Amino acid sequence: MSILIYAESSDEKLKKVAFELASYAKKVAESLSTTVTAVAINANDVSELSKYGVDKVIKISNEKLTNFTAKAYADVIKQVAQKENVKLVLLSSTTDSLYAAPLVAVGLEAGFASNVVGLPVSLAPFQVKRNAFSNKAFVTTEIATEVKVLSLAKNSFGIVENNVATTTEDFSPTLNDGDFGVSVSSIEKSTGKVTIADADIVVSAGRGLKGPENWGMIEELASVLGAATACSKPVSDLGWRPHSEHVGQTGKPVATNLYIAIGISGAIQHIAGINSSKVKVVINTDAEAPFFKVADYGIVGDAFDVVPRLIQKLKDFKAQNN
């Protein structure tokens, strides 16, 4: 019996979340005295998975799977799980994996737990700790089915190197034309920037920036930090920034190591969507802004004064340490 992970990729390259998932799986596998198998779909180089404890990689290459389709990908993962006779299937909490995971569970007649934030609390019975109520609480969930499917919350475990010898096997799944009911006509991707999905640091701004013409300093701060840029819902609704940058409960949820909110008051939907971030920093002129109640660090001040000074301090610090 092996543990199976879905090693997600983009543009034929493995995503960072695949390495965190592998690290988590390896730790669980050690407790169960078993091995870790990964399924990678249309990923060119899978060798790096060996650094994080993956014993075997099932490679699937098929032009029909070039663009993500939840039903098709879920069925492929199910086929690999059945082929390898696995009892535990792990996926990440990216948008694609969250679509696929419940379908995998249905296909395998498995119990499913999402937003898992730690190693199993117990193996017999099998219990896991999960985020609940928009990340305001934790809950312990027990899964009694023989096969179990989990989705791991981003940045909840971390990436841990554990080098092993890895074997690779090609596999050709049976594809059902009925699983391709959704067609992709085009995909627009930003280039040259850190994406919200892959970012460890996110710099986000709201209506306190007063207009899209002032976003240069947000982008500069993000560049200095190697961060992704994001925004609040009102900003994307006004057309100041693309909707792809809208973070929050009604946008993209983020669980970064550092989240900096500039000129964002902190509506409950926004806070719920970023609450899993480990360190939250807020810069706002209003000392009574709700964001200050959940922030780890806060600066009461004008962003147009604070942010340029912060950028200069960071540049000076980097220069001294290079």
Side-chain angles (χ1 to χ4, degrees):
M1 181 190 76
S2 176
I3 296 172
L4 179 68
I5 70 167
Y6 166 44
E8 196 169 329
S9 60
S10 177
D11 295 328
E12 301 181 344
K13 295 180 181 178
L14 292 171
K15 292 183 177 180
K16 177 187 169 185
V17 291
F19 306 133
E20 180 176 27
L21 202 60
S23 303
Y24 178 88
K26 183 60 176 179
K27 194 66 177 179
V28 178
E30 289 173 350
S31 300
L32 294 171
S33 299
T34 188
T35 56
V36 178
T37 299
V39 52
I41 301 174
N42 288 339
N44 275 341
D45 184 6
V46 296
S47 61
E48 199 168 358
L49 288 170
S50 66
K51 291 171 57 178
Y52 306 102
V54 174
D55 300 283
K56 180 180 180 181
V57 181
I58 306 293
K59 285 191 69 176
I60 296 169
S61 299
N62 193 300
E63 287 187 2
K64 294 186 72 173
L65 297 170
T66 298
N67 294 314
F68 175 81
T69 301
K71 289 182 67 177
Y73 271 54
D75 190 58
V76 168
I77 296 168
K78 180 198 78 171
Q79 290 180 48
V80 175
Q82 291 173 332
K83 170 184 173 298
E84 297 295 309
N85 190 31
V86 302
K87 303 302 179 187
L88 180 59
V89 182
L90 304 176
L91 297 92
S92 63
S93 290
T94 64
T95 302
D96 287 354
S97 286
L98 285 176
Y99 275 120
L103 296 173
V104 173
V106 170
L108 294 172
E109 297 183 353
F112 171 54
S114 60
N115 294 320
V116 175
V117 293
L119 295 169
V121 176
S122 168
L123 295 175
F126 191 88
Q127 297 176 331
V128 289
K129 182 180 178 181
R130 305 167 51 231
N131 277 327
F133 304 113
S134 298
N135 304 320
K136 294 184 180 68
F138 297 110
V139 62
T140 299
T141 298
E142 181 176 326
I143 305 177
T145 52
E146 182 182 11
V147 182
K148 303 162 183 65
V149 177
L150 308 179
S151 67
L152 182 68
K154 182 186 175 187
N155 285 333
S156 62
F157 186 76
I159 296 176
V160 181
E161 288 196 19
N162 194 330
N163 285 282
V164 298
T166 304
T167 60
T168 303
E169 176 186 320
D170 292 326
F171 177 64
S172 298
T174 301
L175 300 181
N176 182 358
D177 288 339
D179 290 340
F180 295 88
V182 176
S183 62
V184 179
S185 58
S186 66
I187 298 176
E188 294 183 9
K189 294 184 178 181
S190 58
T191 57
K193 297 194 302 180
V194 179
T195 65
I196 293 174
D198 296 328
D200 285 326
I201 304 173
V202 168
V203 177
S204 187
R207 283 182 294 183
L209 268 288
K210 300 180 181 179
E213 66 278 3
N214 296 319
W215 233 263
M217 66 179 182
I218 303 302
E219 292 174 334
E220 185 177 4
L221 176 59
S223 177
V224 172
L225 290 170
T229 57
C231 68
S232 62
K233 185 177 186 298
V235 164
S236 63
D237 287 345
L238 288 166
W240 294 1
R241 301 297 291 179
H243 285 283
S244 60
E245 292 192 4
H246 166 208
V247 297
Q249 192 174 31
T250 56
K252 290 182 178 178
V254 295
T256 55
N257 290 323
L258 173 62
Y259 184 84
I260 303 175
I262 302 169
I264 300 175
S265 61
I268 190 170
Q269 294 89 347
H270 188 90
I271 291 174
I274 61 91
N275 209 34
S276 290
S277 295
K278 292 180 180 177
V279 178
K280 295 175 279 291
V281 177
V282 59
I283 301 170
N284 203 299
T285 55
D286 181 9
E288 301 300 318
F291 224 128
F292 281 106
K293 295 179 181 178
V294 300
D296 298 284
Y297 301 95
I299 301 173
V300 179
D302 189 338
F304 296 97
D305 174 45
V306 174
V307 174
R309 292 165 65 184
L310 177 59
I311 291 169
Q312 189 57 52
K313 288 289 186 181
L314 288 168
K315 286 181 176 179
D316 293 343
F317 176 80
K318 291 178 74 173
Q320 291 171 7
N321 289 274
N322 284 339

